[in-house]
PDB file of all heavy atoms in Angstrom:
ATOM      1  N   GLY A 833       8.386  53.711 -31.870  1.00  0.00           N
ATOM      2  CA  GLY A 833       8.696  54.077 -30.479  1.00  0.00           C
ATOM      3  C   GLY A 833       8.230  52.976 -29.543  1.00  0.00           C
ATOM      4  O   GLY A 833       7.480  52.089 -29.959  1.00  0.00           O
ATOM      5  N   PRO A 834       8.679  53.032 -28.277  1.00  0.00           N
ATOM      6  CA  PRO A 834       8.382  51.956 -27.340  1.00  0.00           C
ATOM      7  C   PRO A 834       6.873  51.693 -27.192  1.00  0.00           C
ATOM      8  O   PRO A 834       6.078  52.630 -27.198  1.00  0.00           O
ATOM      9  CB  PRO A 834       8.952  52.472 -26.018  1.00  0.00           C
ATOM     10  CG  PRO A 834       9.997  53.454 -26.416  1.00  0.00           C
ATOM     11  CD  PRO A 834       9.508  54.084 -27.677  1.00  0.00           C
ATOM     12  N   VAL A 835       6.521  50.411 -27.086  1.00  0.00           N
ATOM     13  CA  VAL A 835       5.122  50.009 -26.930  1.00  0.00           C
ATOM     14  C   VAL A 835       5.000  49.229 -25.631  1.00  0.00           C
ATOM     15  O   VAL A 835       5.745  48.266 -25.408  1.00  0.00           O
ATOM     16  CB  VAL A 835       4.679  49.108 -28.111  1.00  0.00           C
ATOM     17  CG1 VAL A 835       3.292  48.549 -27.864  1.00  0.00           C
ATOM     18  CG2 VAL A 835       4.716  49.888 -29.404  1.00  0.00           C
ATOM     19  N   GLU A 836       4.062  49.654 -24.779  1.00  0.00           N
ATOM     20  CA  GLU A 836       3.928  48.963 -23.493  1.00  0.00           C
ATOM     21  C   GLU A 836       2.795  47.943 -23.505  1.00  0.00           C
ATOM     22  O   GLU A 836       1.743  48.154 -24.100  1.00  0.00           O
ATOM     23  CB  GLU A 836       3.687  49.983 -22.376  1.00  0.00           C
ATOM     24  CG  GLU A 836       3.749  49.311 -21.011  1.00  0.00           C
ATOM     25  CD  GLU A 836       3.677  50.297 -19.848  1.00  0.00           C
ATOM     26  OE1 GLU A 836       4.320  51.373 -19.938  1.00  0.00           O
ATOM     27  OE2 GLU A 836       2.987  49.987 -18.871  1.00  0.00           O
ATOM     28  N   SER A 837       3.069  46.831 -22.832  1.00  0.00           N
ATOM     29  CA  SER A 837       2.074  45.772 -22.679  1.00  0.00           C
ATOM     30  C   SER A 837       2.290  45.169 -21.287  1.00  0.00           C
ATOM     31  O   SER A 837       3.065  45.719 -20.505  1.00  0.00           O
ATOM     32  CB  SER A 837       2.259  44.744 -23.792  1.00  0.00           C
ATOM     33  OG  SER A 837       1.277  43.741 -23.698  1.00  0.00           O
ATOM     34  N   ALA A 838       1.626  44.062 -20.999  1.00  0.00           N
ATOM     35  CA  ALA A 838       1.794  43.475 -19.663  1.00  0.00           C
ATOM     36  C   ALA A 838       1.506  41.990 -19.657  1.00  0.00           C
ATOM     37  O   ALA A 838       0.649  41.511 -20.417  1.00  0.00           O
ATOM     38  CB  ALA A 838       0.867  44.167 -18.668  1.00  0.00           C
ATOM     39  N   ASN A 839       2.238  41.276 -18.799  1.00  0.00           N
ATOM     40  CA  ASN A 839       1.938  39.884 -18.452  1.00  0.00           C
ATOM     41  C   ASN A 839       1.952  38.905 -19.611  1.00  0.00           C
ATOM     42  O   ASN A 839       1.434  37.800 -19.505  1.00  0.00           O
ATOM     43  CB  ASN A 839       0.586  39.800 -17.727  1.00  0.00           C
ATOM     44  CG  ASN A 839       0.599  40.630 -16.463  1.00  0.00           C
ATOM     45  OD1 ASN A 839       1.646  40.779 -15.830  1.00  0.00           O
ATOM     46  ND2 ASN A 839      -0.536  41.185 -16.097  1.00  0.00           N
ATOM     47  N   GLU A 840       2.515  39.325 -20.724  1.00  0.00           N
ATOM     48  CA  GLU A 840       2.639  38.435 -21.874  1.00  0.00           C
ATOM     49  C   GLU A 840       3.799  38.950 -22.693  1.00  0.00           C
ATOM     50  O   GLU A 840       3.936  40.148 -22.901  1.00  0.00           O
ATOM     51  CB  GLU A 840       1.350  38.468 -22.699  1.00  0.00           C
ATOM     52  CG  GLU A 840       1.344  37.456 -23.802  1.00  0.00           C
ATOM     53  CD  GLU A 840      -0.047  37.304 -24.406  1.00  0.00           C
ATOM     54  OE1 GLU A 840      -0.917  36.682 -23.777  1.00  0.00           O
ATOM     55  OE2 GLU A 840      -0.263  37.843 -25.502  1.00  0.00           O
ATOM     56  N   LEU A 841       4.658  38.028 -23.126  1.00  0.00           N
ATOM     57  CA  LEU A 841       5.826  38.416 -23.912  1.00  0.00           C
ATOM     58  C   LEU A 841       5.725  37.732 -25.257  1.00  0.00           C
ATOM     59  O   LEU A 841       5.518  36.521 -25.319  1.00  0.00           O
ATOM     60  CB  LEU A 841       7.093  37.964 -23.161  1.00  0.00           C
ATOM     61  CG  LEU A 841       8.419  38.111 -23.891  1.00  0.00           C
ATOM     62  CD1 LEU A 841       8.738  39.576 -24.136  1.00  0.00           C
ATOM     63  CD2 LEU A 841       9.540  37.466 -23.074  1.00  0.00           C
ATOM     64  N   ARG A 842       5.844  38.510 -26.315  1.00  0.00           N
ATOM     65  CA  ARG A 842       5.852  37.912 -27.653  1.00  0.00           C
ATOM     66  C   ARG A 842       7.224  38.131 -28.259  1.00  0.00           C
ATOM     67  O   ARG A 842       7.774  39.236 -28.165  1.00  0.00           O
ATOM     68  CB  ARG A 842       4.777  38.553 -28.530  1.00  0.00           C
ATOM     69  CG  ARG A 842       3.388  38.249 -28.009  1.00  0.00           C
ATOM     70  CD  ARG A 842       2.375  38.378 -29.105  1.00  0.00           C
ATOM     71  NE  ARG A 842       1.030  38.128 -28.595  1.00  0.00           N
ATOM     72  CZ  ARG A 842       0.115  37.446 -29.249  1.00  0.00           C
ATOM     73  NH1 ARG A 842       0.377  36.933 -30.422  1.00  0.00           N
ATOM     74  NH2 ARG A 842      -1.085  37.270 -28.744  1.00  0.00           N
ATOM     75  N   ILE A 843       7.780  37.092 -28.867  1.00  0.00           N
ATOM     76  CA  ILE A 843       9.106  37.207 -29.460  1.00  0.00           C
ATOM     77  C   ILE A 843       9.142  36.494 -30.810  1.00  0.00           C
ATOM     78  O   ILE A 843       8.402  35.531 -31.029  1.00  0.00           O
ATOM     79  CB  ILE A 843      10.194  36.606 -28.529  1.00  0.00           C
ATOM     80  CG1 ILE A 843       9.789  35.229 -28.026  1.00  0.00           C
ATOM     81  CG2 ILE A 843      10.491  37.502 -27.349  1.00  0.00           C
ATOM     82  CD1 ILE A 843      10.828  34.598 -27.124  1.00  0.00           C
ATOM     83  N   PRO A 844      10.003  36.999 -31.720  1.00  0.00           N
ATOM     84  CA  PRO A 844      10.122  36.339 -33.020  1.00  0.00           C
ATOM     85  C   PRO A 844      11.038  35.112 -32.925  1.00  0.00           C
ATOM     86  O   PRO A 844      12.072  35.167 -32.261  1.00  0.00           O
ATOM     87  CB  PRO A 844      10.731  37.421 -33.910  1.00  0.00           C
ATOM     88  CG  PRO A 844      11.416  38.371 -32.981  1.00  0.00           C
ATOM     89  CD  PRO A 844      10.793  38.244 -31.628  1.00  0.00           C
ATOM     90  N   VAL A 845      10.645  34.038 -33.603  1.00  0.00           N
ATOM     91  CA  VAL A 845      11.448  32.812 -33.624  1.00  0.00           C
ATOM     92  C   VAL A 845      12.729  33.049 -34.426  1.00  0.00           C
ATOM     93  O   VAL A 845      12.719  33.758 -35.427  1.00  0.00           O
ATOM     94  CB  VAL A 845      10.627  31.669 -34.270  1.00  0.00           C
ATOM     95  CG1 VAL A 845      11.489  30.457 -34.549  1.00  0.00           C
ATOM     96  CG2 VAL A 845       9.462  31.302 -33.377  1.00  0.00           C
ATOM     97  N   GLY A 846      13.843  32.496 -33.954  1.00  0.00           N
ATOM     98  CA  GLY A 846      15.093  32.541 -34.721  1.00  0.00           C
ATOM     99  C   GLY A 846      15.853  33.847 -34.600  1.00  0.00           C
ATOM    100  O   GLY A 846      16.904  34.000 -35.212  1.00  0.00           O
ATOM    101  N   GLU A 847      15.328  34.817 -33.841  1.00  0.00           N
ATOM    102  CA  GLU A 847      16.051  36.082 -33.668  1.00  0.00           C
ATOM    103  C   GLU A 847      16.573  36.178 -32.249  1.00  0.00           C
ATOM    104  O   GLU A 847      15.959  35.657 -31.317  1.00  0.00           O
ATOM    105  CB  GLU A 847      15.121  37.265 -33.967  1.00  0.00           C
ATOM    106  CG  GLU A 847      14.894  37.433 -35.459  1.00  0.00           C
ATOM    107  CD  GLU A 847      14.033  38.654 -35.778  1.00  0.00           C
ATOM    108  OE1 GLU A 847      14.041  39.631 -35.016  1.00  0.00           O
ATOM    109  OE2 GLU A 847      13.333  38.582 -36.819  1.00  0.00           O
ATOM    110  N   THR A 848      17.717  36.880 -32.106  1.00  0.00           N
ATOM    111  CA  THR A 848      18.277  37.054 -30.779  1.00  0.00           C
ATOM    112  C   THR A 848      17.518  38.174 -30.074  1.00  0.00           C
ATOM    113  O   THR A 848      17.410  39.280 -30.592  1.00  0.00           O
ATOM    114  CB  THR A 848      19.763  37.398 -30.872  1.00  0.00           C
ATOM    115  OG1 THR A 848      20.392  36.378 -31.639  1.00  0.00           O
ATOM    116  CG2 THR A 848      20.395  37.451 -29.496  1.00  0.00           C
ATOM    117  N   VAL A 849      16.959  37.855 -28.930  1.00  0.00           N
ATOM    118  CA  VAL A 849      16.172  38.826 -28.170  1.00  0.00           C
ATOM    119  C   VAL A 849      16.909  39.108 -26.860  1.00  0.00           C
ATOM    120  O   VAL A 849      17.329  38.172 -26.175  1.00  0.00           O
ATOM    121  CB  VAL A 849      14.768  38.266 -27.863  1.00  0.00           C
ATOM    122  CG1 VAL A 849      13.955  39.258 -27.046  1.00  0.00           C
ATOM    123  CG2 VAL A 849      14.048  37.919 -29.151  1.00  0.00           C
ATOM    124  N   ARG A 850      17.076  40.390 -26.555  1.00  0.00           N
ATOM    125  CA  ARG A 850      17.761  40.752 -25.309  1.00  0.00           C
ATOM    126  C   ARG A 850      16.708  41.324 -24.365  1.00  0.00           C
ATOM    127  O   ARG A 850      16.094  42.360 -24.653  1.00  0.00           O
ATOM    128  CB  ARG A 850      18.844  41.785 -25.605  1.00  0.00           C
ATOM    129  CG  ARG A 850      19.658  42.171 -24.390  1.00  0.00           C
ATOM    130  CD  ARG A 850      20.838  43.040 -24.827  1.00  0.00           C
ATOM    131  NE  ARG A 850      21.647  43.427 -23.698  1.00  0.00           N
ATOM    132  CZ  ARG A 850      21.395  44.474 -22.903  1.00  0.00           C
ATOM    133  NH1 ARG A 850      20.343  45.220 -23.120  1.00  0.00           N
ATOM    134  NH2 ARG A 850      22.205  44.758 -21.904  1.00  0.00           N
ATOM    135  N   LEU A 851      16.502  40.628 -23.258  1.00  0.00           N
ATOM    136  CA  LEU A 851      15.532  41.103 -22.277  1.00  0.00           C
ATOM    137  C   LEU A 851      16.273  41.899 -21.217  1.00  0.00           C
ATOM    138  O   LEU A 851      17.254  41.419 -20.641  1.00  0.00           O
ATOM    139  CB  LEU A 851      14.816  39.911 -21.629  1.00  0.00           C
ATOM    140  CG  LEU A 851      14.087  38.971 -22.591  1.00  0.00           C
ATOM    141  CD1 LEU A 851      13.468  37.813 -21.810  1.00  0.00           C
ATOM    142  CD2 LEU A 851      13.018  39.719 -23.368  1.00  0.00           C
ATOM    143  N   GLU A 852      15.816  43.129 -20.963  1.00  0.00           N
ATOM    144  CA  GLU A 852      16.403  43.949 -19.902  1.00  0.00           C
ATOM    145  C   GLU A 852      15.495  43.841 -18.700  1.00  0.00           C
ATOM    146  O   GLU A 852      14.356  44.302 -18.719  1.00  0.00           O
ATOM    147  CB  GLU A 852      16.514  45.395 -20.369  1.00  0.00           C
ATOM    148  CG  GLU A 852      17.529  45.546 -21.478  1.00  0.00           C
ATOM    149  CD  GLU A 852      17.549  46.938 -22.069  1.00  0.00           C
ATOM    150  OE1 GLU A 852      16.627  47.735 -21.793  1.00  0.00           O
ATOM    151  OE2 GLU A 852      18.494  47.218 -22.808  1.00  0.00           O
ATOM    152  N   LEU A 853      15.987  43.190 -17.656  1.00  0.00           N
ATOM    153  CA  LEU A 853      15.137  42.837 -16.529  1.00  0.00           C
ATOM    154  C   LEU A 853      15.392  43.751 -15.335  1.00  0.00           C
ATOM    155  O   LEU A 853      16.525  43.858 -14.862  1.00  0.00           O
ATOM    156  CB  LEU A 853      15.393  41.377 -16.139  1.00  0.00           C
ATOM    157  CG  LEU A 853      15.241  40.375 -17.296  1.00  0.00           C
ATOM    158  CD1 LEU A 853      15.716  38.997 -16.875  1.00  0.00           C
ATOM    159  CD2 LEU A 853      13.795  40.315 -17.762  1.00  0.00           C
ATOM    160  N   THR A 854      14.330  44.390 -14.864  1.00  0.00           N
ATOM    161  CA  THR A 854      14.455  45.268 -13.684  1.00  0.00           C
ATOM    162  C   THR A 854      13.282  45.004 -12.750  1.00  0.00           C
ATOM    163  O   THR A 854      12.365  44.250 -13.087  1.00  0.00           O
ATOM    164  CB  THR A 854      14.395  46.761 -14.070  1.00  0.00           C
ATOM    165  OG1 THR A 854      13.200  46.984 -14.796  1.00  0.00           O
ATOM    166  CG2 THR A 854      15.582  47.182 -14.900  1.00  0.00           C
ATOM    167  N   SER A 855      13.326  45.669 -11.599  1.00  0.00           N
ATOM    168  CA  SER A 855      12.201  45.541 -10.669  1.00  0.00           C
ATOM    169  C   SER A 855      11.793  46.918 -10.180  1.00  0.00           C
ATOM    170  O   SER A 855      12.629  47.813 -10.047  1.00  0.00           O
ATOM    171  CB  SER A 855      12.605  44.681  -9.477  1.00  0.00           C
ATOM    172  OG  SER A 855      11.628  44.822  -8.466  1.00  0.00           O
ATOM    173  N   ALA A 856      10.493  47.062  -9.905  1.00  0.00           N
ATOM    174  CA  ALA A 856       9.991  48.343  -9.414  1.00  0.00           C
ATOM    175  C   ALA A 856       9.949  48.368  -7.891  1.00  0.00           C
ATOM    176  O   ALA A 856       9.825  49.429  -7.297  1.00  0.00           O
ATOM    177  CB  ALA A 856       8.589  48.579  -9.963  1.00  0.00           C
ATOM    178  N   ASP A 857      10.021  47.212  -7.231  1.00  0.00           N
ATOM    179  CA  ASP A 857       9.824  47.210  -5.777  1.00  0.00           C
ATOM    180  C   ASP A 857      10.771  46.246  -5.055  1.00  0.00           C
ATOM    181  O   ASP A 857      11.774  46.659  -4.505  1.00  0.00           O
ATOM    182  CB  ASP A 857       8.349  46.909  -5.443  1.00  0.00           C
ATOM    183  CG  ASP A 857       7.718  45.923  -6.422  1.00  0.00           C
ATOM    184  OD1 ASP A 857       8.363  44.883  -6.707  1.00  0.00           O
ATOM    185  OD2 ASP A 857       6.600  46.154  -6.900  1.00  0.00           O
ATOM    186  N   VAL A 858      10.496  44.969  -5.091  1.00  0.00           N
ATOM    187  CA  VAL A 858      11.327  43.992  -4.377  1.00  0.00           C
ATOM    188  C   VAL A 858      12.019  43.090  -5.403  1.00  0.00           C
ATOM    189  O   VAL A 858      11.840  43.277  -6.600  1.00  0.00           O
ATOM    190  CB  VAL A 858      10.465  43.140  -3.405  1.00  0.00           C
ATOM    191  CG1 VAL A 858       9.812  44.022  -2.365  1.00  0.00           C
ATOM    192  CG2 VAL A 858       9.425  42.359  -4.177  1.00  0.00           C
TER     193      VAL A 858
END
Side-chain angles (χ1 to χ4, degrees):
V835 173
E836 188 173 319
S837 182
N839 301 329
E840 187 168 285
L841 172 65
R842 295 203 182 220
I843 48 179
V845 169
E847 285 183 28
T848 305
V849 179
R850 183 172 180 276
L851 302 178
E852 292 173 348
L853 306 171
T854 55
S855 167
D857 35 47
V858 299

